[in-house]
Amino acid sequence: MAKGMIVKALSGFYYVRNEEGLFQCRGRGNFRKRQIKPLVGDEVEFEAENRTDGYILDVFPRKNELIRPPIANIDQAILVFSAIEPDFSPLLLDRFLVHIEVNRIEPLIVISKMDLADAALKQKMEQVKKRYEQIGYPVLLSSTVEMNKMEALFPYIAKKVSVVAGQSGVGKSSLLNSLQPGLNIETNHISTHLGRGKHTTRHVELLSIGEGLVADTPGFSSLDFTGMDMQDLAPCFPEMEERAADCKFRGCTHTAEPGCAVKEAVEAGEIEESRYKHYQQFLEEIKNQKRRYDS
């Protein structure tokens, strides 16, 4: 039996690549009974009489997976946020980061459309870059019209499976087109009425870019915290997690407990207050979600 990686899923077919090339496959009928759905990024065992008539026989264990977009075995998430059109949202970025952290995926933050920013906005984005780099996240300020800024991505992509994610209209497809001329991934302009872009990417596909594989994915349609418990949240904020051991109470939620090292760090300005407020908001969402499921 042959082994390979699913690099595209489209219209019920799975496209598996290995050293011999690309094979179009279907999933075995018993996958549904076993509640297995092959995903882009899966390492699989398959058989194929020719390049267009194969069957996936087994899916090997995954190290991680995302539901939206549906992809597995990701090393890195390139989170693309635009400086403008749509405006940069720290709340949405932190929401994305939680989803990436809980799946133990390394994040890379890319702020796009810097060429459209005026001097004041550029200064603001430099401050955002500094804040998140202090937490430990790499941040790149990019522009598809300045190739040297785009090329800074290549070392991060090399030897990794990366997923490009972010809200619609931030320039994910434009970024990939700039990195790999000839891809011709469809892009759309922002709707001035809605202030957001259309979903131009309709399937998940791993593309060979530089020395790595990068997934172009549909925009995230939902970023709720389904499946997360309250104790899962704080470790997704690295600056809070590194202080949690100094809290007076084990299992501290960093909200109402006395002797909380995290709250002390917020008051001292060592933890960004906006990040802490986002943590509180997400924690409340998880609590409300649990109440709904338990009622």
Side-chain angles (χ1 to χ4, degrees):
M1 301 300 172
K3 295 179 181 178
M5 175 189 283
I6 299 176
V7 295
K8 181 168 71 169
L10 184 64
S11 302
F13 289 102
Y14 302 99
Y15 296 83
V16 181
R17 185 181 296 281
N18 64 12
E19 63 278 359
E20 295 182 15
L22 189 67
F23 297 83
Q24 179 179 278
C25 300
R26 293 185 182 274
R28 288 187 69 174
N30 65 358
F31 280 167
R32 186 173 296 175
K33 293 179 183 176
R34 294 162 59 193
Q35 296 185 321
I36 295 174
K37 180 175 176 58
L39 297 175
V40 169
D42 273 333
E43 297 285 348
V44 299
E45 186 175 65
F46 71 101
E47 63 179 4
E49 294 183 2
N50 53 58
R51 296 298 176 95
T52 60
D53 190 20
Y55 284 89
I56 294 174
L57 305 176
D58 202 6
V59 176
F60 295 110
R62 299 163 178 157
K63 68 178 181 181
N64 56 44
E65 67 179 272
L66 296 177
I67 297 171
R68 300 184 185 92
I71 188 170
N73 299 319
I74 313 115
D75 300 312
Q76 173 179 254
I78 303 171
L79 302 179
V80 184
F81 279 72
S82 55
I84 192 170
E85 295 181 6
D87 292 342
F88 177 76
S89 169
L91 176 64
L92 190 57
L93 173 56
D94 287 344
R95 190 177 287 270
F96 268 86
L97 284 169
V98 166
H99 281 76
I100 297 308
E101 289 278 7
V102 79
N103 284 286
R104 292 177 170 80
I105 299 168
E106 291 292 323
L108 167 64
I109 300 167
V110 175
I111 299 177
S112 64
K113 303 187 184 180
M114 288 298 293
D115 54 299
L116 301 181
D118 60 20
L121 185 56
K122 284 179 180 177
Q123 185 177 9
K124 180 181 176 182
M125 292 300 102
E126 289 286 356
Q127 292 170 349
V128 168
K129 173 179 164 72
K130 183 179 178 181
R131 286 202 302 269
Y132 281 91
E133 285 180 338
Q134 286 174 341
I135 296 169
Y137 294 125
V139 182
L140 297 178
L141 304 180
S142 77
S143 162
T144 55
V145 300
E146 296 179 65
M147 200 55 212
N148 62 318
K149 290 186 177 180
M150 302 304 299
E151 289 173 349
L153 271 166
F154 283 120
Y156 292 95
I157 292 170
K159 312 299 183 187
K160 293 179 181 177
V161 174
S162 301
V163 57
V164 178
Q167 70 185 119
S168 295
V170 296
K172 300 188 297 295
S173 296
S174 296
L175 181 147
L176 294 177
N177 285 333
S178 297
L179 290 175
Q180 186 82 4
L183 286 177
N184 297 320
I185 298 171
E186 182 186 356
T187 61
N188 269 340
H189 295 293
I190 300 295
S191 163
T192 54
H193 176 62
L194 295 174
R196 64 189 184 190
K198 298 177 182 178
H199 291 276
T200 53
T201 307
R202 293 174 177 83
H203 66 276
V204 180
E205 180 175 1
L206 281 171
L207 308 168
S208 294
I209 296 179
E211 297 179 21
L213 292 171
V214 182
D216 186 25
T217 69
F220 280 60
S221 57
S222 174
L223 282 168
D224 58 23
F225 298 104
T226 302
M228 280 188 69
D229 293 323
M230 287 188 292
Q231 64 267 25
D232 297 331
L233 184 61
C236 297
F237 287 75
E239 71 272 41
M240 292 172 56
E241 178 64 5
E242 68 182 22
R243 292 169 170 85
D246 297 326
C247 290
K248 182 177 180 180
F249 295 101
R250 190 176 178 181
C252 181
T253 65
H254 316 307
T255 52
E257 299 91 342
C260 173
V262 168
K263 288 194 295 181
E264 290 171 2
V266 174
E267 291 167 4
E270 296 168 2
I271 290 178
E272 190 78 23
E273 186 176 4
S274 62
R275 286 266 294 172
Y276 178 65
K277 286 181 177 178
H278 295 166
Y279 165 79
Q280 290 176 304
Q281 179 176 328
F282 300 159
L283 190 67
E284 195 60 34
E285 285 185 42
I286 293 170
K287 287 179 182 176
N288 291 336
Q289 182 176 279
K290 190 173 188 306
R291 290 189 197 106
R292 287 197 300 270
Y293 288 144
D294 291 346
S295 60

